Amino acid sequence: MSVLLSIVTQLLHMAAVVLAAPVLAGVVAVLTDRIAGRVPSTVTRSWRQIAHLFRKQTIRMPGASPVTRFAPLLSVAVAAWTVFLIPSFALGMVSAPLSDIVVIAALFAFGRVVLMLAAMDAGTGAAAVAATETASLAVAAKPALLLAVFALALLAGGSNLDAILAAKMEGLLPSSAATGLAIAALAIVGWVDRECPPADATFSGADLAVLRIAEQLRILAWCDLIGALALPFGMALADAGPVSWGIGLLAWIGRLLMAALVLAAVRASGASDRARTALTLALALGGIAAMLALTGGDPT
Amino acid sequence: MSDPILPLLVLIVVALLALGAAARFIARASRQAIGLAGAGLSGLGFMLTLLALIVGQEPGTLVLPFGLPGFSLALSFDPLAAFFLLPAFLTGTASIAFAAEIADSSPKASLSGLSLCIAGVVLAILAADGVTLVLGLALAGGAVWASGAVWASGDPSPARTPLLGVTALTVLAVLGATAASGFAFVAMRERLDYPTALFVLALIGPGALAGLVPFHRWSIPAHRASPARAAALLSGMVKPLALYLLVRLLLDLGAPASAGWWGIVLLAMGSATVVTGGWRAASEAEVGACLAGLAESQSGVAAIGIGLALLGRASDLPVLASLAQAAVLLLVVSQAVCGTLGQLSAGAVQAEAGSRRLVLLGGLIHAMPVVATGMAAALFGLSAMPGGAGFAALWLLFQALLAAPHAPWMALVVAALAVSTALSSAAAARVFGVAFLGRPRGPRSAAATDIAKPARPGMLALAGVAVLIGLFPGAVLMLADPAIRQLQGIGLDDRIGPLGIRGYEVLALVAGVLAICAGVRWLLQRRGVSAPREGPAWNDGFTPPPAWLPFGDPLTQSAGGGFLPTLPKLPPLPLPRWHWRPRHVPALPAMLAAMAVFLIALLWMAGP
C-alpha cells in the first residue's frame, strides 16, 4: 500500500512540477514588471511565446554537429530529472533513495556544461563568450554550492535530500546558524546560476522552445530546493493520504510564491551585474557554514 | 605452489620480456605479428586476473629460484595486486594493439618498449619484496624513458631527464623504505616502528611519480614533450603504478605503524594537486597537456582518498577507511583507462590534424568521429560529470569526508575538491569544445581524416570500457572489495551491488534522463514540429565566412582562453630564484651523485 502511495505521490509531483514551471516563470515576469514600475505582462505570456516558437521552423547553422542536435533534449531531460528528484509537497516518494544532494548539485552543473558545448559548437563569438563566462563563474559557484551541501549533509548525517528535509522538519539539524548560512549560500548560487549569460543565441524554433522549458524547469528546481530546505513546513509524508497532500501542495505553492517575489525583487533591482561579488559572498557563507558544521555547534 | 595463477603470470611476464627483445633484435618479425602476440599476452593476463578475482583466488606466494646473493626474489598474488593488475593489463593490451595498427617511424622499437613496460609494471605489482619491486620499476621506467627517445622524431625528448630523475627517486624511496626490514614485505607488515624518514621517502618517490604537489613540475612538460604513445604510458600506466606504490607502502606495509598526521600530509598534497592540476588542464594550450592536467588532478583526488584512509585507520573508523580506499581504487581504473584513451586520441589528432595545439584545431567531430568518441569518453571519465567514473569516485570520497573526524580545516579539502570539479568540467568542455566542435581553424584540421580503419574498433572498445566503468561503478567495486577487505578489515558489504552504489544509483539516473529525452523527442515528432532547415543563424551579427576567408575570421571563435576567472594579483613570494637547466647539467653524473647521496643517507638511517 505504501509503495503504491509513494508511486502516486511521485506521479502527482511530476505532473505538478511540469505544470508549475511555466506558471512560476510567468508570475516572476509579472512581479518583476510590477516592482520595476513597468506595464505588467500576463502570466501566460512566457507560455505563449514558447508555443509560438514551437510553430516556427528550426534553423540550424550549416556544419552543426550532433551536439547541437541533442543539446536541447539533454538539457531539458537533465533539468526535468533534477526537478523530479527534489521533493515538492511530499517526502518519501519513489525517487527518495535517488535524491542525493551531491548528485543534484552535479546535475545543475552538468546542465550548464551541455549548454557550453552547444555554444562552442556554434563557432561564433558571442556564444563562445557566453560559454567561457559560464565556465569561469562555475569555478567560484561550485565550491560555494558544494560547501553548503557538505554542511547540510554533515548536520543531517547523510547526503540524501529526503533524509535532510525530514531531519530539518523535525528540528533535528543541530546547528541552526550553519543551516541558515548554508541555505543563504545556496540561494546566492541559485540566483547567479539564473543570471548566467544566455548560451542559446544560436538556437531557434522548437530547439529554442525546448531550451526555454529547460530553463524554466531549472529555476523551479532551484526554488524547490532552497524553499524546501529553508521552510519545509507542511510537507506531507507520501503515505499520509490526500488531506495532508493537499496541505503540502498549499505550502509548496506558498513557498513558490515567496520565491517568485524574491526573484522578481532581485531582478528588478538590477543586481545581475554583481554576480562575481555575490559569489564571493556565497563562498564565504558556505565556508563558514561548513566550518560551523564541522566544529559542531552554534557560535553562541 | 598449489595455485596456478602466479606461475602463469610469471610466464606472461617472461613472454613479454622475450617479445620485447624479439621486437628489437629479430629483423624478420612483422609488426602485426608482434603486436598481436603482445596484445594477446596482455589480454590473457587480464582474463586470468579477472577470473582469479571473480572466483576469489586465495593469496599465494612464489619464491623465484634466483635473486641477489643470499636473497631470492619473491612474488605474491593478493587481492590488492590482482586489482591493480586489471587496469595495467587492460591499458597494455590497448596500447600494444594501437602501436601495431598505426604506422610509426620505428614501429618495432615502440612495440618493444611497450612490451617491456607492461612486463615491468606487472612485475612491480606482483613483487613481494623491495628488490623485485625495484626491478619492475626500473624496467618500466627504463622502457618509458627509452620510448620517449625512440618515438620522438629526431631530437632527444626533453622529457627524459625529469622522468629518469623521478624514476630514480622512486626506486631509491622503495629501497630505502623497505631496507630496514630486509626488503621482505612480510617482515615490514610486522614492524611497529616505521620511522618518519621512511614515511617521507615512501611519500616523495611515488608522490613525485604520481605528480603530486610539490613534486609535480615534471609531469605536464613531460607529457607535452613526449610523443603520444609515451604520454599514454605516462598517464595510463605510470601514474596508476605510482598510486599502487602509495597504497602498498602507506596503507599496506606501513599500516601497523601509521599515524594520523600522515593522512593530513597526504590531504594537503592532494588538495593542492587537484586545484593546480585542474587549473593547468583548463589553461594549457595543447590537448595532451590538458589531458595530463586532468590525470594529475585525478592523482590528487586519489591522494586525498589515501589520506582519508590513513586518517580512518589512525582514528579507528574502518567505514571511513574502506570508503576512501574504494574511491582510490575506482580512480585508479578510471585514470588508467581514460588517461590512455585520451592520450591515444590526442596522438591521433596530432597525426591526422597536424597539431595538438587547440588554436589550430576545431570542428574535428565531423572529420574524426571515432577519435571524437574516444576523446569524449576519456574526458567524461576524467572530469567530474554525473554518470562518469570520476564522479562516482568523488561521490564516494564525499561520503568518506562526511564520515571523517570533524575538524574545521576539513572544509578546505571539500573546497579544493569542489574547485577541482568545476575546473575539470571546464577543462573537459574546453578541450572538446575548441578542438572538436565549431569550425576548423585551419586547412589541416579541415582536411583531417579519422584514425586508420584497423585501429577504430580498438578505440571504440576502449571508449566503451570507459563508459561502462562510469555506468557500473558498483561492479568495479565488487572486484575491488577483496582488496579493501585485505587492507581495512571490512569491505563495502551492502553499500555496493552489481548495478550501482547505494545512494548513487547511476543506472537509474542515466536511464531516467535518456527516457525523458526519448519522451520529449517523441512528443515533438507527434506534434508535427516542422523539420529543421539549414541556414545561417542570427547570432549578434555573426555572418558566415566569406569566400576569401574559408575558415572565417579566427577571432570570432573561442581559442580556449577565458575559461578561468582572473585571480587577484598577489605580491610575488620571496622565494629563492632557482634556474635549473637540465641541458647544462650532465644528466648521468648528476644522477649518480644524487644516488650516492641518497644511498649514504639510507645507510645512515637504516644503520643500528
Side-chain angles (χ1 to χ4, degrees):
Chain A
M1 188 62 189
S2 72
V3 174
L4 192 66
L5 283 175
S6 67
I7 294 175
V8 172
T9 32
Q10 182 78 51
L11 292 176
L12 271 178
H13 162 73
M14 283 157 64
V17 290
V18 169
L19 286 177
V23 178
L24 179 72
V27 170
V28 171
V30 170
L31 286 176
T32 312
D33 287 346
R34 283 223 174 264
I35 294 172
R38 293 191 287 259
V39 179
S41 59
T42 55
V43 172
T44 53
R45 200 185 71 171
S46 69
W47 191 237
R48 275 186 282 128
Q49 278 177 340
I50 288 176
H52 181 63
L53 282 175
F54 270 122
R55 285 195 296 275
K56 292 171 82 167
Q57 190 178 29
T58 307
I59 299 177
R60 292 208 181 115
M61 293 180 73
S65 74
V67 171
T68 298
R69 198 152 65 238
F70 291 109
L73 282 179
L74 196 56
S75 222
V76 81
V78 169
W81 187 256
T82 316
V83 82
F84 289 165
L85 287 184
I86 302 172
S88 59
F89 67 94
L91 294 178
M93 297 183 297
V94 184
S95 66
L98 307 179
S99 75
D100 186 274
I101 195 163
V102 184
V103 175
I104 290 173
L107 284 176
F108 276 126
F110 183 60
R112 283 284 171 239
V113 171
V114 172
L115 280 186
M116 271 161 68
L117 286 177
M120 302 189 69
D121 194 32
T124 66
V129 169
T132 52
E133 186 70 10
T134 307
S136 81
L137 275 180
V139 173
K142 200 81 181 283
L145 176 60
L146 273 190
L147 278 171
V149 160
F150 178 71
L152 289 169
L154 199 64
L155 292 172
S159 58
N160 186 286
L161 181 60
D162 223 56
I164 294 176
L165 289 179
K168 169 89 183 168
M169 268 176 79
E170 290 166 25
L172 291 178
L173 294 194
S175 166
S176 54
T179 322
L181 289 177
I183 294 169
L186 276 185
I188 297 176
V189 173
W191 167 66
V192 172
D193 182 68
R194 169 71 196 80
E195 299 300 331
C196 265
D200 55 6
T202 44
F203 288 96
S204 60
D207 281 354
L208 187 57
V210 172
L211 277 178
R212 292 271 160 83
I213 295 175
E215 202 54 41
Q216 293 181 350
L217 284 170
R218 226 177 135 79
I219 299 174
L220 179 70
W222 275 111
C223 291
D224 268 1
L225 179 67
I226 296 158
L229 281 169
L231 305 163
F233 312 112
M235 214 173 248
L237 289 177
D239 49 3
V243 178
S244 28
W245 293 353
I247 297 172
L249 269 177
L250 285 179
W252 176 55
I253 291 169
R255 282 202 296 274
L256 284 187
L257 282 177
M258 283 167 70
L261 200 61
V262 174
L263 258 181
V266 174
R267 204 178 289 176
S269 72
S272 52
D273 52 344
R274 283 183 220 126
R276 286 179 194 279
T277 322
L279 277 181
T280 318
L281 179 66
L283 200 55
L285 289 179
I288 298 171
M291 295 230 186
L292 278 182
L294 281 166
T295 46
D298 289 317
T300 47
Chain B
M1 279 288 284
S2 57
D3 55 278
I5 180 96
L6 259 177
L8 281 175
L9 289 175
V10 171
L11 279 183
I12 288 179
V13 170
V14 172
L16 280 169
L17 286 175
L19 193 70
R24 184 63 64 90
F25 297 115
I26 300 181
R28 280 171 50 201
S30 85
R31 193 179 81 203
Q32 263 87 4
I34 295 172
L36 192 66
L41 280 172
S42 190
L44 183 69
F46 176 77
M47 288 301 180
L48 276 176
T49 317
L50 190 66
L51 195 69
L53 267 176
I54 288 175
V55 301
Q57 175 83 31
E58 289 293 314
T61 310
L62 180 71
V63 179
L64 298 178
F66 52 85
L68 303 179
F71 182 87
S72 296
L73 302 182
L75 301 175
S76 84
F77 183 85
D78 55 359
L80 185 66
F83 185 77
F84 273 90
L85 281 179
L86 287 180
F89 275 131
L90 188 63
T91 53
T93 314
S95 305
I96 290 201
F98 267 88
E101 290 302 345
I102 295 191
D104 191 297
S105 55
S106 50
K108 287 189 190 168
S110 67
L111 280 172
S112 150
L114 269 170
S115 309
L116 294 180
C117 180
I118 301 170
V121 169
V122 171
L123 192 63
I125 293 177
L126 283 176
D129 59 66
V131 178
T132 319
L133 183 51
V134 162
L135 274 182
L137 269 175
L139 193 56
V144 179
W145 181 72
S147 16
V150 170
W151 292 340
S153 50
D155 56 325
S157 150
R160 296 194 305 164
T161 313
L163 182 68
L164 189 65
V166 174
T167 311
L169 193 63
T170 317
V171 163
L172 285 169
V174 170
L175 275 183
T178 52
S181 320
F183 301 116
F185 286 174
V186 184
M188 271 192 86
R189 288 196 189 95
E190 285 155 12
R191 274 179 74 112
L192 291 176
D193 54 332
Y194 200 75
T196 304
L198 297 191
F199 161 71
V200 173
L201 270 182
L203 190 62
I204 292 179
L209 205 55
L212 298 183
V213 173
F215 312 110
H216 64 297
R217 288 290 167 86
W218 69 278
S219 162
I220 289 183
H223 277 87
R224 208 190 291 132
S226 305
R229 275 169 232 163
L233 285 185
L234 281 178
S235 268
M237 273 223 178
V238 171
K239 284 196 174 150
L241 180 66
L243 292 178
Y244 167 77
L245 290 177
L246 278 176
V247 170
R248 181 63 91 186
L249 290 176
L250 297 179
L251 286 179
D252 181 20
L253 302 182
S258 70
W261 65 267
W262 293 13
I264 296 173
V265 172
L266 270 162
L267 283 180
M269 289 171 70
S271 303
T273 310
V274 292
V275 176
T276 52
W279 196 275
R280 295 294 290 272
S283 55
E284 281 289 334
E286 284 187 5
V287 179
C290 295
L291 285 161
L294 284 174
E296 197 178 303
S297 176
Q298 277 209 333
S299 287
V301 180
I304 292 180
I306 296 172
L308 282 175
L310 282 168
L311 265 188
R313 184 78 65 82
S315 33
D316 208 11
L317 294 167
V319 175
L320 162 62
S322 61
L323 275 173
Q325 200 194 330
V328 174
L329 296 183
L330 199 54
L331 278 169
V332 166
V333 179
S334 123
Q335 194 189 39
V337 173
C338 299
T340 306
L341 180 60
Q343 295 292 354
L344 288 176
S345 308
V349 167
Q350 158 108 55
E352 306 295 335
S355 177
R356 280 190 285 189
R357 290 178 65 81
L358 286 172
V359 285
L360 298 177
L361 302 171
L364 292 179
I365 191 171
H366 302 289
M368 318 175 80
V370 175
V371 175
T373 312
M375 184 64 94
L379 289 170
F380 198 68
L382 284 175
S383 62
M385 299 195 208
F391 181 74
L394 265 174
W395 189 88
L396 282 171
L397 216 51
F398 196 85
Q399 303 301 317
L401 277 166
L402 287 179
H406 293 180
W409 49 262
M410 218 46 122
L412 287 178
V413 180
V414 179
L417 276 178
V419 174
S420 89
T421 61
L423 289 174
S424 61
S425 304
R430 173 174 172 267
V431 168
F432 197 76
V434 175
F436 287 86
L437 302 180
R439 289 168 290 125
R441 287 178 179 76
R444 274 302 295 268
S445 51
T449 48
D450 212 342
I451 194 170
K453 264 215 178 98
R456 286 180 199 174
M459 182 159 273
L460 289 177
L462 206 55
V465 172
V467 170
L468 283 179
I469 295 170
L471 286 182
F472 296 94
V476 177
L477 287 178
M478 283 176 85
L479 293 177
D481 205 42
I484 299 170
R485 219 173 272 277
Q486 176 195 353
L487 295 195
Q488 311 299 347
I490 67 164
L492 294 170
D493 300 326
D494 62 337
R495 279 177 179 271
I496 51 165
L499 295 183
I501 304 173
R502 201 181 67 207
Y504 170 55
E505 310 282 352
V506 57
L507 275 187
L509 172 74
V510 173
V513 168
L514 288 183
I516 299 173
C517 275
V520 172
R521 202 182 158 85
W522 178 76
L523 264 181
L524 287 181
Q525 280 173 350
R526 208 172 139 246
R527 300 279 305 172
V529 170
S530 51
R533 174 169 69 83
E534 277 209 345
W538 167 255
N539 188 7
D540 287 354
F542 176 80
T543 48
W548 62 89
L549 261 182
F551 302 105
D553 184 348
L555 290 179
T556 57
Q557 278 202 94
S558 163
F563 277 75
L564 296 171
T566 42
L567 293 180
K569 197 149 193 177
L570 297 173
L573 286 177
L575 287 175
R577 278 285 176 87
W578 187 30
H579 291 288
W580 185 57
R581 299 213 174 144
R583 216 176 292 164
H584 299 165
V585 179
L588 200 61
M591 282 303 144
L592 287 177
M595 278 186 167
V597 170
F598 260 100
L599 281 177
I600 292 168
L602 283 180
L603 285 176
W604 175 66
M605 277 186 304

